[in-house]
């Protein structure tokens, strides 16, 4: 006897089992590690950066660091205007930013809250830089140069923009702002825009979802009911639009829906109208084109669930005396509901962020929130407002998922 523990010792077996399980877990992690890294880089990181930009507000403080710090240290008097120390810091920042060519950044941020704020900052910086000697009182000199420097609204805006974070862009994305006293109020009626655009975006997305549901449910039911040989061929027809670029499909609708297009020619030939109908560059064109593009996203999840429903259930319900309508509503539809809900949720979420199709076939009153995000990202470089508007869409999407999970019980295996 050599003293080695027996191979059937429970402790040895447990250690071997634990080692085997660790190897399997490590192997599984290594298999999904590339996907996790890809998701982290191209999905999680951009979303986190978008959320950061929606509250980051340090553009003015980076260009005018002295006045931002002095304003926090000394504050303002009863009239809402700071003292000489803050004005002296402002003058130094104006001169420095003009020399470093960073005045435009601070002027742009000031212009968001102060009418003509850009002109105020740029003209004053140019004047300060041209002075041969400092005045006796910067406060008196700057207010004399432009009375806006003696207004409470100007310094309230500078205080709000002193960073590093603020709720300015988030409030602006829902047509709100802080007044000179810091209270959240609605912007003037003439400046209200984004709530209306959000409502329009949700209205278009909901309309497209309902149209896809009305057209996609019968199609999915038919595909699931057909024999596999025929159903597979029909399924290829559903997948066919995916093989054509989105821009080409949208461009085709511009040709088909125009006044001399195929649809209007058919309407005139059938005598349904005496004159061509306006089907493009309005809401009608947007709904038609988006429904066509998004219809497969409704059909495929519904079809995958309907295909897994055994036909014996319907036959059993009918054999027990249930009318076909009752059997469909009480037996078939509840089982198909996860696929229908998944398809509806998928279509709605995709429709919320649509940009190309509404831009090409819609009119000025059909612009969705994504077009404003694109404008502020690539046109005016207002990244804060673009991120705040995108955060609104993200919150709406998460709320929709919570509603979906509440109603359907979460995404079940095989629903999609």
């Amino acid at each position: 006897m050599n003293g080695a523990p027996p191979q059937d010792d429970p402790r040895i077996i447990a250690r071997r089992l634990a080692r085997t399980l660790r190897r399997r877990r490590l192997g599984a992690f290594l298999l999904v590690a590339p996907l996790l890294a890809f998701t982290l880089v191209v999905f999680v990181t951009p979303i986190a950066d978008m959320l950061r930009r929606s509250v980051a507000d340090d553009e003015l403080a980076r260009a005018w660091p002295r006045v931002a710090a002095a304003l926090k240290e000394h504050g303002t008097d009863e009239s809402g205007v700071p003292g000489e120390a803050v004005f002296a810091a402002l003058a130094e920042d104006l001169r420095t930013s003009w020399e470093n060519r960073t005045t435009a950044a601070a002027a742009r941020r000031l212009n968001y809250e102060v009418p003509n704020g850009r002109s105020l900052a740029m003209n004053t910086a140019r004047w300060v830089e041209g002075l041969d000697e400092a005045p006796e009182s910067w406060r008196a000199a700057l207010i004399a140069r432009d009375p806006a420097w003696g207004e409470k609204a100007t310094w309230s805006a500078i205080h709000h923009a002193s960073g590093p974070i603020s709720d300015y862009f988030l409030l602006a994305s829902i047509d709100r702002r802080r007044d000179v006293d810091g209270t959240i109020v609605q912007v003037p009626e003439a400046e209200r825009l984004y709530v209306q655009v959000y409502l329009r975006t949700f209205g278009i997305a909901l309309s497209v979802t309902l149209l896809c549901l009305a057209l996609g449910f019968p199609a999915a039911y038919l595909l699931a009911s057909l024999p596999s040989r025929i159903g597979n061929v029909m399924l290829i027809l559903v997948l066919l639009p995916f093989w054509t670029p989105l821009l080409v499909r949208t461009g085709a609708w511009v040709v088909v829906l125009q006044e001399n297009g195929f649809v209007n020619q058919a309407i005139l030939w059938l005598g349904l109208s005496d004159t061509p109908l306006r089907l493009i560059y309005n809401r009608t064109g947007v709904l038609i084109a988006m429904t066509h593009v998004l219809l497969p996203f409704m059909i495929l999840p519904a079809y995958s669930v309907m295909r897994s429903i055994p036909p014996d259930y319907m036959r059993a319900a009918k054999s027990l005396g249930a009318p076909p309508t009752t059997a469909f509503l009480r037996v078939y539809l509840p089982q198909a509901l996860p696929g229908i809900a998944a398809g509806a949720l998928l279509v709605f979420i995709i429709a919320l962020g649509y940009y190309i199709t509404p831009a090409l076939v819609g009119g000025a009153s059909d612009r969705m929130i994504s077009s404003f995000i694109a404008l502020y990202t690539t046109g005016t470089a207002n990244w804060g407002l673009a991120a705040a508007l995108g955060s609104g869409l993200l919150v709406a999407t998460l709320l929709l998922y919570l509603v979906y999970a509440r109603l359907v019980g979460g995404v079940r295996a095989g629903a999609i």
Side-chain angles (χ1 to χ4, degrees):
M1 187 171 181
N2 53 12
Q7 296 300 313
D8 56 352
D9 188 332
R11 292 174 297 177
I12 296 178
I13 294 175
R15 285 197 294 270
R16 289 177 177 174
L17 180 59
R19 188 164 52 249
T20 302
L21 290 176
R22 284 198 298 271
R23 288 175 179 173
R24 288 183 179 180
R25 293 194 189 100
L26 178 61
F29 175 77
L30 292 177
L31 285 175
V32 300
L35 177 61
L36 290 176
F38 180 80
T39 303
L40 180 65
V41 172
V42 304
F43 183 72
V44 177
T45 302
I47 288 180
D49 186 61
M50 179 189 71
L51 295 175
R52 181 191 66 80
R53 288 179 181 274
S54 67
V55 296
D57 194 3
D58 58 350
E59 198 172 26
L60 185 143
R62 282 190 281 114
W64 294 350
R66 298 177 184 84
V67 68
L71 193 58
K72 290 180 180 178
E73 180 181 356
H74 300 288
T76 60
D77 57 21
E78 296 178 352
S79 63
V81 179
E84 179 62 26
V86 179
F87 273 92
L90 172 64
E92 184 63 24
D93 279 339
L94 287 170
R95 178 184 290 107
T96 304
S97 64
W98 185 263
E99 293 173 354
N100 297 333
R101 298 183 179 183
T102 57
T103 308
R108 181 175 58 233
R109 176 60 185 89
L110 189 62
N111 197 60
Y112 292 159
E113 296 191 58
V114 178
N116 298 320
R118 178 180 178 82
S119 299
L120 172 66
M122 298 298 292
N123 293 337
T124 308
R126 187 184 301 110
W127 175 75
V128 170
E129 201 277 334
L131 291 177
D132 294 330
E133 58 181 15
E136 183 177 348
S137 170
W138 277 112
R139 173 173 171 148
L142 289 174
I143 293 176
R145 170 63 186 176
D146 196 321
W149 290 115
E151 296 178 359
K152 183 177 180 180
T154 301
W155 289 100
S156 176
I158 294 176
H159 176 69
H160 294 159
S162 295
I165 62 174
S166 77
D167 55 5
Y168 171 77
F169 295 112
L170 292 175
L171 292 176
S173 68
I174 53 174
D175 293 338
R176 300 290 191 278
R177 70 179 184 186
R178 291 189 180 276
D179 60 12
V180 293
D181 298 321
T183 305
I184 297 176
V185 297
Q186 274 192 318
V187 299
E189 187 171 356
E191 300 177 14
R192 295 172 193 171
L193 173 63
Y194 304 115
V195 172
Q196 181 183 1
V197 175
Y198 269 123
L199 293 177
R200 181 194 308 156
T201 300
F202 282 101
I204 292 176
L206 180 61
S207 301
V208 171
T209 303
L210 294 177
L211 288 172
C212 287
L213 179 61
L215 298 175
F217 182 81
Y221 182 78
L222 176 63
L223 288 173
S225 304
L226 290 174
S228 299
R229 180 174 54 83
I230 302 177
N232 291 336
V233 175
M234 299 291 289
L235 192 60
I236 293 176
L237 298 179
V238 176
L239 297 174
L240 198 58
F242 286 126
W243 302 343
T244 308
L246 175 61
L247 194 59
V248 174
R249 280 180 280 166
T250 304
W253 279 112
V254 175
V255 176
V256 171
L257 296 178
Q258 61 180 318
E259 289 190 358
N260 296 321
F262 169 77
V263 175
N264 265 316
Q265 292 297 326
I267 291 175
L268 294 176
W269 183 75
L270 293 172
L272 300 177
S273 176
D274 296 330
T275 57
L277 301 179
R278 184 173 175 80
L279 301 174
I280 198 72
Y281 306 127
N282 54 18
R283 187 66 54 84
T284 303
V286 172
L287 295 180
I288 292 175
M290 288 182 65
T291 300
H292 165 253
V293 173
L294 295 176
L295 189 57
F297 294 99
M298 173 64 74
I299 295 178
L300 294 177
Y303 165 76
S304 66
V305 174
M306 292 178 180
R307 192 72 178 173
S308 64
I309 300 175
D312 297 340
Y313 293 173
M314 286 287 287
R315 287 197 289 266
K318 293 177 182 177
S319 66
L320 293 175
T325 304
T326 302
F328 177 81
L329 295 177
R330 302 286 297 274
V331 176
Y332 188 87
L333 189 58
Q335 297 181 80
L337 188 58
I340 298 171
L345 183 66
L346 193 60
V347 170
F348 189 84
I349 290 175
I350 296 176
L352 281 180
Y354 245 55
Y355 171 64
I356 294 178
T357 302
L360 291 180
V361 301
S365 61
D366 302 306
R367 296 178 66 187
M368 300 174 69
I369 199 69
S370 55
S371 65
F372 287 88
I373 294 175
L375 171 66
Y376 293 128
T377 303
T378 61
T380 62
N382 190 345
W383 287 88
L385 188 52
L389 293 173
S391 299
L393 281 184
L394 177 64
V395 171
T397 302
L398 294 177
L399 291 177
L400 284 173
Y401 178 78
L402 292 177
V403 172
Y404 167 78
R406 180 75 174 175
L407 294 178
V408 185
V411 179
R412 301 177 183 174
I416 298 180

